[in-house]
Amino acid sequence: VDGIEIYSMKIDSKVTSRFAHNVITSRAVNRGKVPKEVFFDVELPKTAFITNFSMTIDGVTYPGTIKEKEAAKKQYEKAVSRGQTAGLVKASGRKTEKFTVSVNIKAASKVTFELTYEELLKRQFGKYEMLIKVKPRQLVKDFEIEVNVFEPQGITELEAEGTFITNELQNTIKKTFSGKKGHISFKPTLNQQRTCANCSESVLDGDFTVRYDVKRTTPDNLQIVNGYFVHFFAPTNLPRLSKNIIFVLDTSGSMYGREMEQTKEALLKILDDIKEDDFFNLILFESEISTWKETLIKATPENLDEARKFVRHISADGMTNLHGGLMRGIDILNAAHKENLVPKRSASIIIMLTDGQPNVGVANTQEIEEAVKKAIDGRYTLYNLGFGSGVDYGFLERMALENKGLARRIYPDSDAALQLQGFYDEVSNPMLIDVELNYPENEISDLTTNSFKHFYDGSEIVVAGRFVDSNQNHLSVDVRGEAADDTLSYTAQQSAEQTAQAFQEQQYIFGEYIERLWAYLTIEQLLEKRITATGEEKENLTAQALALSLMYKFVTPLTSMVVTKPEENDNEEGIADKPTEGIAIFTIVLHLRSHLMCVVYAKLLLIVKLISIKPSFITKSYGQTSPLYHTYASQPTWYTSVDGDPHFIISVPQKKDAICFNINENPGMILNLINDPVTGITVNGELIGDKRVNSDAKIQNSYFGKLGIANKRLDVKLTVTPETITIQNGDEKTGFTWLDSVTLQQAGLTLIINKKKNLVLSMGSGASFVVVLHQVWKKHPLHQDFLGLYTLKSDKLSEQTHGLLGQFFRPIDFTILEIHPGSDPKKPDATMIVKNNELIVTRGWQKDYRRDPKHGVDIPCWFVHDNGAGLIDGVHTDYIVSSLF
């Protein structure tokens, strides 16, 4: 591509006892006559840790080094300030992160990139799964995926599939397994990679997935190597425990539409899967709390039919009383256990789904966390599902982890119902509760988590540890758990000799794999505990996780890999960080889809707040949660706006006052409101009039009926009318109506539509605008719907900004003299000195519709007559333009 040929790409995976060691090697050559930039671009599983990276250019190797994140950032903050470093790892999808590095190489030069990452494969639905993302973006002469699996227990099944595999490619997947070894290779020829016979595009674009399982003659597999052990626990043939499951569902207004329909679709399928010996209930929360039944109900066919009818009639409206919904669910579970309505040997689970944040009832997330933890008291497992990007994912994750569960993000795509159902399937078959794996305390140090609330069918529990005496060569473990019929209790034993016999095929084993597995699992669990910890405990967990990350060279959220490039490259260093779930979600759009859009339907509590607060105290915050607007309304602040008939309100903060003026022009005229040649942002508005001429009025009413907001740099145009909102990105158009609740993220732009109320637009420079929708009675004889525009963060625009509104983004001063009675006794006149002009002004009020779009709030101001003459630069007709863009 563009003179750069990737002539070789090899993905080499070695899996030993579920621990995968993957090396991606890519070789490219510059076929051009001038230096070119070469990109190495791969996607990795989110559960993986990068352990090594290097570039070799013309025989010289440039390695990546892993350092403490803060140290790495301090070392390179000068380069960051010059814009010369690159963040190399970004979230790129539901299950993957994207690693990107680029380097300039001379004509005819070659470069080899090598990236190593490791992960512990999790068992779900009875199989271990390894995901390999394939996307070379061009035909590659020598392309190969090779996977070697070594499992001392023996392999029972091994399969490989690709989302891009055609019938012809199916034969290129070679798969063999026998005893403890499995082998998969995929090596398509150049012609097999083509999308068609003479095409130069590659068909290799998607997921390549390897799945396998192992023989289980006993519930356990213990392995001891060089002073470390790992214990795999996955009993089979146990009777299924009955479960008590409470679904706590957000049915507030923001769930209206597709989200609610998908949730109902998933629930109906889940109800088909609930077993007759299970107990269940449905709790709905919006402003109020409602329940299907007052107690847990047995899942008889009759009760399930009744529940299906209830689900089909669920609708979305109101605000979000998350605390009330959860507490009602916990109370019902507590009562069921206290009154012995459910079997003693049963698993109790709460699954909560929300698309936003609490905003009625108890809205403080810390208070909710404390109340929920106290009410559950370790008895039940809480799973929190966050629908879309409007959720406070950090809050959901903390609350779930504190109650022995986990949080999962549900992506608002066409398959959201399948995502919801898929999560339920993972937890639908509990086999054991209160599982404990106990090892001799005096023999083991640094043990990973060894007690588990539930064990689900098809999963696996993994515990690893380090021996106090590194020469110890035997281990016994006491296993205990509550099964459906009785208590499971036994002792398992293993010796290092037995492990060594199982591992005779040394060529399959990489390094000290059990030690690295232990380190991986320990870091993963320390980082998880860190989420809910505070103070000194959090500091200690951080220090432990950091020390292990550095010792074993893992790129984790606490470390960075610094990539040093050849001196002739402008971009001398890059820092690769491990993203975290809360903050990585929007990077997808910024990093990968600069010309596309990602529409996310989300809770708009934040925008409801926005209408009622002071806008210049709105700040964008990036922390452990998704990017959200945090609001502080401690003192009055100032803004510039145009609304109504068009009423321009100019805030003058140093005077704690405002200046107003109207523009009276004919319907159809388009006025330039804001024009910034530096940022490329322009805002124009088209006037509309009343439905007919008002014979009683000297001056006819006019309003803004259409707004056009453009950013030339981003090649984005937003057209807003009282009916529709259209965003054009290059040649691509996306349309919404005011009935939608939408959060849209794309490179340099955020658009939030608050259904039937307003929209908030934030542009690349940080400038933000609020467009307020005014709806009048449809049968009104005169008036029609119109729009208002309010600017936030206007200081983010350049000093060269102009326009009817834009010229006032720079400070303006005025002096008021000779206040005297005017023609209206309630509105005195005065002389205003402004811009060296002496004007007669009138004290009056204009409407601010941010808080109340229907009635508005009176804002006192000095009114400048004659279309702002003497206040605005030039005359108002200078601002008439020929088109919206």
Side-chain angles (χ1 to χ4, degrees):
V1 178
D2 194 28
I4 299 297
E5 179 193 342
I6 301 172
Y7 61 90
S8 171
M9 180 175 281
K10 180 157 186 182
I11 301 163
D12 181 57
S13 296
K14 287 186 172 65
V15 182
T16 302
S17 292
R18 293 75 150 165
F19 196 62
H21 176 89
N22 305 284
V23 181
I24 301 174
T25 308
S26 178
R27 293 181 168 88
V29 60
N30 181 0
R31 299 285 187 203
K33 296 180 181 178
V34 294
K36 297 270 179 148
E37 190 171 22
V38 183
F39 286 86
F40 175 67
D41 211 349
V42 295
E43 292 184 57
L44 318 171
K46 284 182 180 177
T47 48
F49 291 151
I50 292 170
T51 62
N52 197 23
F53 174 75
S54 67
M55 293 184 292
T56 302
I57 302 169
D58 293 335
V60 180
T61 298
Y62 302 88
T65 55
I66 293 173
K67 302 188 176 189
E68 180 183 357
K69 181 171 285 188
E70 290 309 310
K73 285 188 175 168
K74 283 175 186 172
Q75 184 177 347
Y76 293 106
E77 60 190 7
K78 285 185 181 176
V80 171
S81 68
R82 294 196 303 268
Q84 289 186 333
T85 63
L88 303 181
V89 185
K90 299 283 185 279
S92 66
R94 298 179 186 177
K95 296 181 178 179
T96 56
E97 293 160 357
K98 188 180 181 75
F99 177 93
T100 304
V101 68
S102 65
V103 64
N104 282 307
I105 62 169
K106 296 171 186 172
S109 284
K110 292 182 177 180
V111 58
T112 299
F113 299 102
E114 187 174 284
L115 178 74
T116 305
Y117 65 93
E118 295 176 343
E119 66 171 325
L120 178 63
L121 304 181
K122 305 284 194 297
R123 187 170 185 256
Q124 276 186 339
F125 306 119
K127 291 176 185 175
Y128 304 98
E129 180 176 293
M130 181 168 69
L131 172 70
I132 297 171
K133 210 71 168 159
V134 177
K135 195 167 189 169
R137 288 194 174 84
Q138 62 173 265
L139 301 174
V140 179
K141 185 179 176 184
D142 180 17
F143 181 92
E144 184 178 10
I145 296 174
E146 185 173 24
V147 180
N148 286 298
V149 182
F150 181 78
E151 286 289 349
Q153 288 169 268
I155 297 169
T156 56
E157 56 182 316
L158 177 67
E159 59 189 55
E161 61 182 30
T163 54
F164 53 85
I165 297 293
T166 59
N167 288 336
E168 186 182 359
L169 281 176
Q170 192 69 49
N171 298 326
T172 63
I173 301 178
K174 306 297 183 190
K175 180 184 70 173
T176 59
F177 70 94
S178 174
K180 301 171 186 176
K181 295 182 185 178
H183 180 258
I184 288 169
S185 73
F186 173 61
K187 194 172 182 179
T189 64
L190 267 177
N191 285 333
Q192 287 170 328
Q193 294 173 42
R194 298 180 194 275
T195 50
C196 65
N198 299 312
C199 296
S200 58
E201 290 83 25
S202 173
V203 76
L204 304 183
D205 183 358
D207 298 344
F208 188 85
T209 307
V210 174
R211 295 185 186 89
Y212 73 91
D213 200 18
V214 301
K215 287 179 184 170
R216 295 178 202 281
T217 52
T218 64
D220 309 86
N221 179 247
L222 275 161
Q223 298 173 22
I224 302 169
V225 176
N226 295 342
Y228 291 84
F229 80 89
V230 62
H231 180 190
F232 299 106
F233 175 74
T236 54
N237 302 320
L238 288 171
R240 195 187 71 87
L241 273 165
S242 66
K243 64 180 179 293
N244 317 305
I245 188 161
I246 298 257
F247 298 97
V248 182
L249 306 170
D250 183 343
T251 59
S252 60
S254 60
M255 285 286 289
Y256 179 84
R258 185 166 78 155
E259 290 94 329
M260 196 72 258
E261 292 310 309
Q262 290 174 323
T263 301
K264 288 159 70 171
E265 180 188 340
L267 273 175
L268 289 170
K269 287 178 179 167
I270 287 168
L271 289 172
D272 289 342
D273 292 337
I274 289 182
K275 309 295 189 296
E276 192 163 353
D277 57 350
D278 290 340
F279 288 76
F280 73 107
N281 202 346
L282 300 155
I283 315 292
L284 312 181
F285 67 89
E286 27 107 356
S287 304
E288 304 297 326
I289 311 302
S290 56
T291 59
W292 171 53
K293 299 288 183 185
E294 291 306 307
T295 62
L296 275 172
I297 297 294
K298 200 166 193 291
T300 63
E302 298 76 23
N303 287 336
L304 287 168
D305 279 342
E306 191 181 334
R308 289 185 190 100
K309 288 175 188 170
F310 177 79
V311 168
R312 289 188 186 103
H313 288 93
I314 294 174
S315 60
D317 193 22
M319 297 180 76
T320 311
N321 188 353
L322 185 150
H323 170 266
L326 258 182
M327 294 304 287
R328 179 73 61 84
I330 297 165
D331 287 346
I332 287 173
L333 264 179
N334 284 341
H337 281 275
K338 188 175 180 181
E339 295 163 22
N340 294 319
L341 297 177
V342 295
K344 282 192 175 180
R345 290 183 181 277
S346 59
S348 293
I349 299 166
I350 301 169
I351 297 179
M352 184 187 72
L353 170 72
T354 180
D355 77 332
Q357 299 176 51
N359 58 9
V360 68
V362 179
N364 182 297
T365 55
Q366 190 174 342
E367 286 180 32
I368 295 172
E369 285 175 46
E370 290 169 359
V372 167
K373 186 176 180 182
K374 184 177 178 183
I376 289 179
D377 195 27
R379 292 184 292 258
Y380 323 125
T381 305
L382 172 64
Y383 296 107
N384 289 329
L385 306 182
F387 206 133
S389 62
V391 294
D392 181 344
Y393 190 82
F395 158 60
L396 296 182
E397 186 173 41
R398 285 192 306 274
M399 191 162 58
L401 290 173
E402 284 172 341
N403 295 286
K404 301 183 180 179
L406 55 83
R408 181 77 58 83
R409 197 181 286 281
I410 302 297
Y411 294 84
D413 293 334
S414 57
D415 68 339
L418 289 174
Q419 295 176 57
L420 291 168
Q421 191 186 354
F423 176 80
Y424 170 78
D425 289 344
E426 289 178 43
V427 299
S428 62
N429 289 311
M431 311 303 280
L432 292 169
I433 56 174
D434 299 325
V435 179
E436 290 194 9
L437 310 175
N438 293 311
Y439 309 85
E441 286 183 23
N442 58 339
E443 295 177 7
I444 304 296
S445 69
D446 302 313
L447 186 69
T448 62
T449 301
N450 66 324
S451 65
F452 304 86
K453 187 64 184 172
H454 294 155
F455 168 73
Y456 295 105
D457 189 30
S459 69
E460 182 174 68
I461 286 172
V462 183
V463 180
R466 179 162 59 178
F467 288 109
V468 173
D469 177 2
S470 61
N471 295 315
Q472 182 168 329
N473 57 15
H474 66 274
L475 178 67
S476 64
V477 53
D478 292 326
V479 177
R480 186 182 175 87
E482 299 300 324
D485 300 329
D486 54 16
T487 299
L488 178 75
S489 180
Y490 64 90
T491 299
Q493 295 186 335
Q494 176 73 340
S495 70
E497 288 82 8
Q498 289 170 301
T499 303
Q501 286 173 7
F503 281 97
Q504 288 167 356
E505 295 86 348
Q506 286 296 315
Q507 73 271 22
Y508 265 69
I509 303 184
F510 55 90
E512 305 294 338
Y513 92 93
I514 284 187
E515 183 179 346
R516 293 192 68 79
L517 187 158
W518 164 81
Y520 172 98
L521 198 56
T522 302
I523 293 168
E524 192 178 59
Q525 292 177 1
L526 287 169
L527 292 172
E528 193 173 89
K529 289 174 185 171
R530 191 170 161 263
I531 292 168
T532 57
T534 55
E536 190 176 340
E537 184 193 2
K538 185 165 190 168
E539 289 176 16
N540 291 338
L541 291 167
T542 301
Q544 291 174 55
L546 174 60
L548 284 173
S549 300
L550 291 171
M551 183 186 299
Y552 291 94
K553 294 185 166 56
F554 285 133
V555 177
T556 70
L558 303 176
T559 53
S560 296
M561 178 184 286
V562 182
V563 179
T564 307
K565 300 184 181 182
E567 289 178 6
E568 62 268 21
N569 278 261
D570 292 334
N571 192 355
E572 292 176 1
E573 289 95 13
I575 297 178
D577 291 334
K578 175 85 174 166
T580 53
E581 173 63 30
I583 61 172
I585 187 70
F586 292 126
T587 317
I588 305 166
V589 184
L590 301 174
H591 192 77
L592 287 180
R593 305 178 64 182
S594 57
H595 301 295
L596 299 172
M597 288 177 285
C598 175
V599 179
V600 183
Y601 293 78
K603 172 87 60 186
L604 292 177
L605 146 73
L606 301 164
I607 308 312
V608 177
K609 283 185 178 175
L610 182 61
I611 299 168
S612 62
I613 61 156
K614 314 299 186 247
S616 61
F617 280 80
I618 297 166
T619 60
K620 217 168 186 185
S621 165
Y622 293 85
Q624 285 299 310
T625 59
S626 306
L628 299 171
Y629 288 91
H630 291 266
T631 56
Y632 308 88
S634 55
Q635 54 183 318
T637 57
W638 310 91
Y639 58 91
T640 308
S641 71
V642 56
D643 210 335
D645 175 27
H647 306 308
F648 290 75
I649 305 177
I650 313 303
S651 295
V652 187
Q654 68 271 27
K655 296 283 189 185
K656 296 185 180 178
D657 211 339
I659 303 173
C660 312
F661 64 94
N662 285 0
I663 295 293
N664 300 306
E665 256 309 333
N666 295 324
M669 286 295 178
I670 299 172
L671 300 173
N672 174 239
L673 305 176
I674 298 167
N675 180 25
D676 182 0
V678 176
T679 62
I681 293 173
T682 60
V683 182
N684 295 326
E686 182 176 333
L687 295 172
I688 56 171
D690 282 333
K691 293 175 182 175
R692 59 179 174 80
V693 174
N694 183 359
S695 55
D696 297 329
K698 290 181 183 176
I699 299 173
Q700 298 302 311
N701 288 327
S702 58
Y703 314 86
F704 281 117
K706 186 182 285 187
L707 291 170
I709 305 173
N711 188 319
K712 288 180 183 174
R713 287 190 171 188
L714 299 177
D715 195 17
V716 168
K717 295 175 182 175
L718 182 77
T719 307
V720 187
T721 73
E723 291 77 40
T724 61
I725 300 114
T726 306
I727 187 159
Q728 183 170 347
N729 200 67
D731 295 324
E732 236 179 82
K733 278 190 179 180
T734 305
F736 306 100
T737 74
W738 284 99
L739 295 174
D740 295 323
S741 291
V742 172
T743 295
L744 180 149
Q745 290 273 345
Q746 77 176 71
L749 181 146
T750 303
L751 172 68
I752 304 174
I753 302 172
N754 188 20
K755 181 179 175 181
K756 290 187 178 180
K757 289 187 177 177
N758 63 39
L759 68 81
V760 182
L761 177 70
S762 300
M763 304 292 257
S765 64
S768 301
F769 309 96
V770 178
V771 178
V772 173
L773 172 66
H774 296 278
Q775 291 184 309
V776 300
W777 179 44
K778 295 299 177 197
K779 295 183 180 179
H780 196 287
L782 277 179
H783 303 323
Q784 53 184 333
D785 297 351
F786 62 98
L787 304 168
L789 175 75
Y790 295 78
T791 62
L792 313 178
K793 299 189 185 177
S794 57
D795 59 323
K796 299 292 184 182
L797 295 170
S798 79
E799 291 188 0
Q800 296 177 41
T801 303
H802 211 263
L804 275 170
L805 269 183
Q807 63 188 289
F808 299 107
F809 294 168
R810 297 183 299 282
I812 183 173
D813 201 2
F814 66 89
T815 304
I816 293 294
L817 307 170
E818 303 169 1
I819 298 175
H820 57 275
S823 55
D824 183 336
K826 295 178 181 176
K827 298 179 180 179
D829 284 353
T831 300
M832 174 185 282
I833 309 297
V834 61
K835 292 186 176 179
N836 295 320
N837 296 319
E838 194 172 299
L839 310 175
I840 298 298
V841 295
T842 301
R843 191 63 172 172
W845 292 267
Q846 295 285 29
K847 292 284 190 186
D848 174 354
Y849 290 96
R850 288 171 308 133
R851 295 174 177 81
D852 183 349
K854 190 172 181 182
H855 304 105
V857 176
D858 287 327
I859 299 293
C861 63
W862 291 105
F863 185 80
V864 178
H865 302 272
D866 301 323
N867 292 308
L871 172 67
I872 65 173
D873 296 338
V875 294
H876 80 277
T877 52
D878 295 344
Y879 299 88
I880 294 174
V881 292
S882 58
S883 66
L884 210 56
F885 297 106

